[in-house]
Amino acid sequence: MTQPEHLPRTVGELRAAGHEPRGVKAEIRENLLAALRAGRDPWPGIVGFGHTVLPQLERALLAGHDVVLLGERGQGKTRLLRTLVGLLDEWTPVIAGAELGEHPLEPITPESRRRAAELGDDLPVAWRHRSMRYAEKLATPDTSVGDLIGDVDPVKVAAGRTLGDPETIHFGLVPRAHRGIVAINELPDLAERIQVALLNVMEERDIQIRGYTLRLPLDVLLVATSNPEDYTNRGRIITPLKDRFGAEVRTHYPLTVAAEVDVIRQEAALLAEVGDPLLEVLARFVRNLRESGAVDQRSGVSARFAVAAAETVAAAALRRSALTGEEPAIARPVDLDAVPSVLRGKIEFESGEEGRETEHLVHLLRLAIAETARERFAGLDLRPLVDAVVDGNLVATGERVPGTEVLAALPELPVLHDVAARAGVSSSDPPGRIAAAIELALESLYLARRLAKDSDDGMTVYGP
């Protein structure tokens, strides 16, 4: 990223501009307060946390606390941490050529202090974008102290420096994030001896390597994520480290169907049109999974499941469009049949449910379809549609059936316009959208046992 030309390039110019250094926590606090006062959203792209998680996190940041986010998988913890970058200044000065991101007016390493003393106001200044001030590490059991803190660099020792020389150190992730944010995902997966290495960083703000201490007044905001089960299963956050985190914020899955739909629409890369009724079905499907006794709720049902389901439905519609030549590619309820078989492996079931996984998924998906149709078509009399099918107007649909054929199977009925309107579709829309609304009504009538349905070899027929 190109640095702006108008910014100071030496320490002398920086002083003349009246620049005053400030800590990263003070910087985040001031920028967060400015956003709140201006009515600007500090958390773009974060859905469903507005009245629960975000106020807690904002209070923690205003207090200057290091934070651990606690929640099941797929609750957006990492996404939330990455938005913290937006609370940093867009550009910040650093000593040009320094190994760490030191402030030109506050050098902390022996080499930078020596350069500052030699060059004075001519010490060169570079500008670092806020995107370069966020460091993220996925904690794994093989993570070493050297990865996080640092280790002796054998190349520097071989060059003639002694082991006691601080300049022999190759700095790890945390020191290199000086004046920035360090995020550690799945913190309990770090071995306990590695967690111990973070104690001094968080409290005394110095680092200890190979038996000697290098006093570095590190300025970092340390944030981490953890799954609640990690405290007892895979590992735990050691008590002294937990004590050093100023705040523990609990995350959650979306609390409403609307929020779940917003997450899906925001995160899914849809290759075909998937209407709101189908997204609502998928949102209700995921919520049913999270309440099912057959699913291992300790592992959670990630929001990524709903996203992958929507992408699968869109892919099924795109495939049908290629087979039939119908454009544009629009998903219909028949495409939901692809979800259980494709995504079964993303769900962990209870130990007694072996062999019944698909059965449970199909049942919960049908329940979601029925709930969505009941919500969409409440108060609408669908008897004329039932009568039309019973009178011999069988409706066939499937992966090789275009929407025009679905519509052609039924006579002109006023209720069809009402069904389309309830699904947010108008009579001038492409046939695929109207067919999607009618299929949803037909499927709901089948689930209510008012119509029959035969499925075979990718073809589904609704009849009496």
Side-chain angles (χ1 to χ4, degrees):
M1 191 170 294
T2 305
Q3 301 177 8
E5 294 294 333
H6 67 280
L7 297 174
R9 297 296 170 177
T10 65
V11 164
E13 293 177 7
L14 195 65
R15 286 199 179 98
H19 182 86
E20 293 290 338
R22 57 178 175 171
V24 65
K25 293 182 178 180
E27 178 183 335
I28 289 174
R29 179 188 302 117
E30 292 173 17
N31 290 336
L32 175 57
L33 287 173
L36 295 176
R37 288 166 180 155
R40 192 171 65 252
D41 182 12
W43 314 105
I46 301 300
V47 177
F49 287 171
H51 301 291
T52 52
V53 176
L54 296 183
Q56 297 180 51
L57 180 58
E58 288 169 356
R59 287 190 287 267
L61 295 174
L62 293 175
H65 290 159
D66 296 309
V67 181
V68 58
L69 297 182
L70 184 65
E72 284 80 10
R73 60 177 180 168
Q75 291 186 345
K77 300 187 293 297
T78 301
R79 175 70 175 266
L80 181 55
L81 292 186
R82 290 173 180 171
T83 61
L84 290 172
V85 174
L87 296 177
L88 297 170
D89 293 340
E90 184 174 10
W91 294 95
T92 193
V94 296
I95 299 174
E99 191 172 2
L100 307 185
E102 301 163 74
H103 196 286
L105 302 180
E106 294 180 342
I108 63 172
T109 62
E111 180 183 1
S112 293
R113 288 174 176 169
R114 183 171 60 249
R115 289 180 63 201
E118 292 174 355
L119 299 176
D121 283 352
D122 293 328
L123 181 69
V125 172
W127 291 83
R128 180 171 292 180
H129 191 260
R130 59 187 168 206
S131 61
M132 305 299 295
R133 298 170 63 195
Y134 175 85
E136 187 175 296
K137 173 66 176 174
L138 175 62
T140 55
D142 62 343
T143 301
S144 67
V145 173
D147 294 333
L148 291 179
I149 308 301
D151 206 343
V152 173
D153 188 341
V155 175
K156 293 179 179 179
V157 174
R161 292 191 174 101
T162 63
L163 285 175
D165 186 347
E167 293 188 26
T168 62
I169 293 176
H170 172 77
F171 293 108
L173 179 72
V174 175
R176 289 181 182 276
H178 176 56
R179 299 179 57 232
I181 300 169
V182 178
I184 302 178
N185 273 323
E186 309 300 341
L187 180 58
D189 280 354
L190 283 182
E192 293 186 7
R193 63 183 182 84
I194 310 301
Q195 294 185 39
V196 168
L198 294 173
L199 298 180
N200 273 40
V201 171
M202 295 186 67
E203 190 69 25
E204 289 78 18
R205 301 293 170 177
D206 62 34
I207 59 175
Q208 297 181 3
I209 297 174
R210 296 290 182 181
Y212 63 88
T213 299
L214 175 61
R215 296 289 177 184
L216 289 179
L218 293 177
D219 180 21
V220 296
L221 172 67
L222 185 62
V223 291
T225 69
S226 172
N227 186 298
E229 290 300 310
D230 290 339
Y231 287 108
T232 55
N233 287 355
R234 291 184 297 173
R236 67 185 187 94
I237 301 177
I238 61 174
T239 302
L241 187 59
K242 286 175 64 178
D243 183 57
R244 281 165 169 77
F245 279 101
E248 180 180 280
V249 178
R250 185 68 185 257
T251 61
H252 55 77
Y253 292 117
L255 299 178
T256 64
V257 172
E260 197 89 55
V261 170
D262 288 342
V263 171
I264 298 171
R265 191 168 289 286
Q266 174 179 281
E267 300 297 325
L270 301 179
L271 301 175
E273 180 182 318
V274 182
D276 286 342
L278 291 190
L279 293 182
E280 185 177 333
V281 168
L282 295 176
R284 293 180 184 277
F285 179 38
V286 171
R287 294 171 70 81
N288 291 341
L289 286 168
R290 292 182 187 138
E291 297 171 359
S292 172
V295 176
D296 183 359
Q297 300 300 335
R298 293 168 296 180
S299 66
V301 180
S302 168
R304 287 184 285 269
F305 181 91
V307 171
E311 292 171 344
T312 298
V313 169
L318 186 64
R319 180 175 181 272
R320 181 177 55 254
S321 175
L323 292 172
T324 64
E326 184 178 47
E327 295 290 347
I330 298 174
R332 307 203 306 259
V334 68
D335 299 317
L336 294 169
D337 293 343
V339 172
S341 58
V342 172
L343 300 178
R344 181 176 60 185
K346 293 177 70 69
I347 300 293
E348 295 183 22
F349 289 83
E350 292 290 352
S351 57
E353 301 298 334
E354 290 87 351
R356 302 178 58 202
E357 296 89 348
T358 300
E359 178 185 338
H360 286 299
L361 292 174
V362 170
H363 169 70
L364 294 175
L365 180 57
R366 287 176 175 175
L367 183 61
I369 294 172
E371 291 170 343
T372 301
R374 189 182 307 118
E375 188 76 20
R376 291 273 173 173
F377 305 137
L380 186 61
D381 185 4
L382 296 178
R383 279 181 296 179
L385 179 56
V386 174
D387 293 340
V389 175
V390 171
D391 288 342
N393 297 286
L394 305 185
V395 181
T397 184
E399 58 185 20
R400 293 179 179 269
V401 179
T404 51
E405 291 187 15
V406 174
L407 299 181
L410 290 168
E412 179 65 29
L413 297 171
V415 71
L416 298 183
H417 298 281
D418 296 333
V419 165
R422 292 291 187 93
V425 178
S426 70
S427 57
S428 60
D429 283 348
R433 290 183 191 162
I434 303 173
I438 293 173
E439 276 191 29
L440 180 61
L442 291 170
E443 184 66 14
S444 70
L445 291 171
Y446 161 69
L447 295 175
R449 299 185 179 182
R450 298 175 66 184
L451 289 178
K453 182 175 79 169
D454 292 323
S455 297
D456 184 43
D457 196 25
M459 180 70 76
T460 296
V461 178
Y462 293 97

